[in-house]
Amino acid sequence: MKKETLVCECTVIHQEVIDKIKLPEEEVLYDLGDFFKILGDSTRIKILSALFQSEMCVCDIAALLGMTQSAISHQLRVLKQGRLVKHRKEGKVVYYSLDDDHIKHIVDQGLTHISEKR
């Protein structure tokens, strides 16, 4: 069965609608796109999911996910640059945690959305 694509056949510009729309600044939209690109990787989502429950060091995250410490460190660097995670050092051990609760809320909303479709 062929899917039908709906196409607007109207050629009238609805200026009153356009005038009401206020888009964020280009730089903000660019940063938001980058933010969602960071969330677009399943390994990073797994790391965040683990950090929702507890702060963890690279060794523990690597063991949990069955990956190398190097691979986890790379992903944590991306998450840190995107301000999704932060770290603290205790002796020789570096512990990672969520930068703030917004991250958990955003991922939870995504999970809720996905669950509705199943």
Side-chain angles (χ1 to χ4, degrees):
M1 178 179 244
K2 187 177 176 182
K3 272 193 170 180
E4 183 179 333
T5 304
L6 297 177
V7 178
C8 182
E9 296 177 16
C10 173
T11 58
V12 175
I13 302 299
H14 301 94
Q15 194 62 46
E16 68 280 0
V17 173
I18 292 171
D19 290 342
K20 292 179 188 176
I21 305 300
K22 303 293 182 227
L23 295 175
E25 294 178 24
E26 281 296 317
E27 186 176 336
V28 172
L29 292 172
Y30 181 79
D31 290 345
L32 185 60
D34 284 347
F35 173 79
F36 281 108
K37 283 180 194 174
I38 292 170
L39 291 177
D41 180 272
S42 62
T43 298
R44 291 191 286 265
I45 293 292
K46 288 176 189 176
I47 292 170
L48 290 172
S49 295
L51 295 177
F52 292 163
Q53 299 171 55
S54 176
E55 73 173 2
M56 298 177 78
C57 70
V58 174
C59 302
D60 293 340
I61 298 170
L64 176 69
L65 300 184
M67 297 176 67
T68 65
Q69 290 182 29
S70 175
I72 296 300
S73 291
H74 171 74
Q75 297 300 339
L76 284 167
R77 191 174 317 110
V78 172
L79 291 167
K80 191 172 170 231
Q81 288 171 343
R83 297 186 349 224
L84 279 74
V85 300
K86 61 185 177 185
H87 71 280
R88 70 176 181 84
K89 195 168 185 175
E90 190 173 295
K92 292 183 177 183
V93 181
V94 178
Y95 291 97
Y96 289 86
S97 61
L98 296 181
D99 191 65
D100 61 40
D101 285 339
H102 294 112
I103 310 307
K104 183 167 181 3
H105 294 303
I106 291 165
V107 174
D108 283 344
Q109 286 295 307
L111 288 170
T112 299
H113 178 72
I114 298 301
S115 298
E116 289 175 351
K117 303 296 181 188
R118 292 183 178 230

